[in-house]
């Protein structure tokens, strides 16, 4: 798969671990930064990842900041993005099956790297179920959310 990833300064080390993991699994990763620990503004990186996802240059996006909340809020303001802030494998599976989330977000200061990697794996192994869920996604899009 092709995966876009972006983060702020709170999550650079975790981002590097995730890139290593995904590349080892044979995926192509588009790393949109930041690669530094200097303070940056998370909306900038959220927008970069979302633009790549909306343009279909990646199959999905991963965003990280300290809590995961800032990048989630930013991502969900981009038309066509359904970003899910994940915290366990169940939410990871369900957001693919039911919400067809195209961006997944994590808080690097609130979760361990092993749990984040398991969530990414669970999301990637899950399939969107369509059916009644598509009606609800259509509602999200038609209300201009
Ligand atoms: C940066 O200090 C922090 O505010 C950011 O990483 C994130 O947690 C915001 O939601």
């Amino acid at each position: 798969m092709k995966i876009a990833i972006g983060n702020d300064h709170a999550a650079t080390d975790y981002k590097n671990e995730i890139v290593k993991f995904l590349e080892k699994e044979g995926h192509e990763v588009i790393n949109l930064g930041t690669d530094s620990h200097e303070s940056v503004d998370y909306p900038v990186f959220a927008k970069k990842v979302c633009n790549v996802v909306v343009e279909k240059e990646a199959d999905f996006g991963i965003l990280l900041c300290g809590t995961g909340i800032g990048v989630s809020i930013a991502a969900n303001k981009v038309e066509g993005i359904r970003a899910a802030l994940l915290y366990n494998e169940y939410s990871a599976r369900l957001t693919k099956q039911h919400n067809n989330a195209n961006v997944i977000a994590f808080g690097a200061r609130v979760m361990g790297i092993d749990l984040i990697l398991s969530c990414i794996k669970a999301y990637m192994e899950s399939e969107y179920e369509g059916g009644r869920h598509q009606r609800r996604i259509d509602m999200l899009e038609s209300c201009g959310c």
Side-chain angles (χ1 to χ4, degrees):
M1 290 185 117
K2 210 164 166 181
I3 302 147
I5 191 164
N7 58 284
D8 76 357
H9 52 282
T12 303
D13 294 339
Y14 272 21
K15 188 271 300 293
N16 291 335
E17 294 278 329
I18 294 167
V19 170
K20 222 187 302 166
F21 167 79
L22 290 171
E23 287 181 343
K24 199 163 154 226
E25 296 279 310
H27 301 289
E28 185 181 339
V29 182
I30 306 169
N31 174 18
L32 296 162
T34 181
D35 291 319
S36 152
H37 295 97
E38 293 299 314
S39 183
V40 292
D41 299 326
Y42 59 80
V44 173
F45 297 91
K47 189 135 194 251
K48 284 183 192 216
V49 167
C50 291
N51 287 344
V52 166
V53 172
V54 165
E55 292 303 322
K56 300 202 184 309
E57 290 161 21
D59 296 299
F60 73 97
I62 299 175
L63 284 170
L64 301 112
C65 64
T67 58
I69 296 171
V71 287
S72 305
I73 293 171
N76 278 312
K77 288 184 178 292
V78 178
E79 203 179 332
I81 293 296
R82 292 176 303 283
L85 175 56
L86 300 183
Y87 41 88
N88 60 22
E89 287 177 35
Y90 179 77
S91 64
R93 271 197 305 279
L94 267 286
T95 203
K96 185 63 187 284
Q97 293 170 350
H98 290 192
N99 314 120
N100 201 17
N102 49 12
V103 169
I104 53 175
F106 299 97
R109 289 176 177 157
V110 294
M111 282 172 82
I113 187 66
D114 289 344
L115 179 56
I116 292 179
L117 295 178
S118 321
C119 287
I120 293 171
K121 210 159 169 278
Y123 168 87
M124 291 178 74
E125 287 170 357
S126 301
E127 294 287 336
Y128 175 50
E129 291 176 0
R132 69 188 187 282
H133 304 297
Q134 189 55 48
R135 182 178 71 244
R136 294 160 186 165
I137 289 175
D138 290 344
M139 289 167 83
L140 290 175
E141 281 167 12
S142 66
C143 76
C145 299

